[in-house]
Amino acid sequence: MANNHVIVHGERGCKGKSQTLAPGVYDTSALDDDDFISSVTIPKGWTVTLYEDAKFSGRSKTLTATGDVGDDFNNITSSLTVSSPDKEAIVKTGDGHKDGKGGVITIEQNDVDLGAKAFLKGRDFPPKFEQIMVLNFTMDPDGS
């Protein structure tokens, strides 16, 4: 198994039709087939999050090891995210309004080179964005 990608498989036991995926986000149109994933090959330290519905919605399941996706997610994945230990990119969308006329998009990136987590959230229409950066710092209230 190569250590620079994830492989999704159409049959249990990491067999059958497969698709190789680099770190990133994959909605229905980016997957070879909708609802075909039964097992995954995942390099050590990587994470795959499966979503039942397109646009990273519906039930989700996070996997960190090679194997079958389980009966609860067998052949129902419509979108997914792949994260490597050195760079994590996650995009989530959802309807944050009861009237169904709006939504929330969250983009998170965790880059080891920066050592900080940054969030960019868009909500409402017209779009309004909020960016939050978390930085590591030390504070000495005594001044010593």
Side-chain angles (χ1 to χ4, degrees):
M1 167 180 52
N3 289 328
N4 61 356
H5 59 267
V6 162
I7 304 171
V8 293
H9 305 273
E11 294 180 20
R12 294 175 191 244
C14 297
K15 297 178 182 176
K17 179 181 176 157
S18 64
Q19 182 177 356
T20 301
L21 305 172
V25 295
Y26 299 87
D27 203 354
T28 305
S29 61
L31 296 173
D32 287 344
D33 286 315
D34 188 23
D35 298 338
F36 88 97
I37 300 171
S38 293
S39 58
V40 293
T41 303
I42 304 174
K44 183 178 180 178
W46 288 47
T47 302
V48 175
T49 302
L50 308 174
Y51 294 87
E52 182 176 16
D53 299 324
K55 299 181 182 174
F56 316 99
S57 59
R59 292 184 305 135
S60 65
K61 183 172 189 174
T62 301
L63 306 170
T64 57
T66 295
D68 295 345
V69 299
D71 292 337
D72 58 336
F73 262 81
N74 190 40
N75 295 327
I76 68 163
T77 300
S78 293
S79 55
L80 62 92
T81 62
V82 175
S83 300
S84 69
D86 60 337
K87 202 165 247 188
E88 180 179 346
I90 302 170
V91 176
K92 300 175 186 175
T93 63
D95 186 358
H97 301 278
K98 292 181 182 178
D99 63 5
K101 293 183 180 178
V104 176
I105 299 173
T106 302
I107 302 170
E108 301 177 20
Q109 179 179 352
N110 185 7
D111 190 330
V112 197
D113 297 334
L114 299 175
K117 206 169 205 181
F119 301 96
L120 177 63
K121 294 183 180 184
R123 60 182 110 182
D124 303 322
F125 190 83
K128 297 176 186 173
F129 296 97
E130 168 188 7
Q131 182 177 5
I132 303 168
M133 293 193 75
V134 181
L135 304 174
N136 296 328
F137 68 91
T138 304
M139 185 171 80
D140 183 1
D142 296 333
S144 53

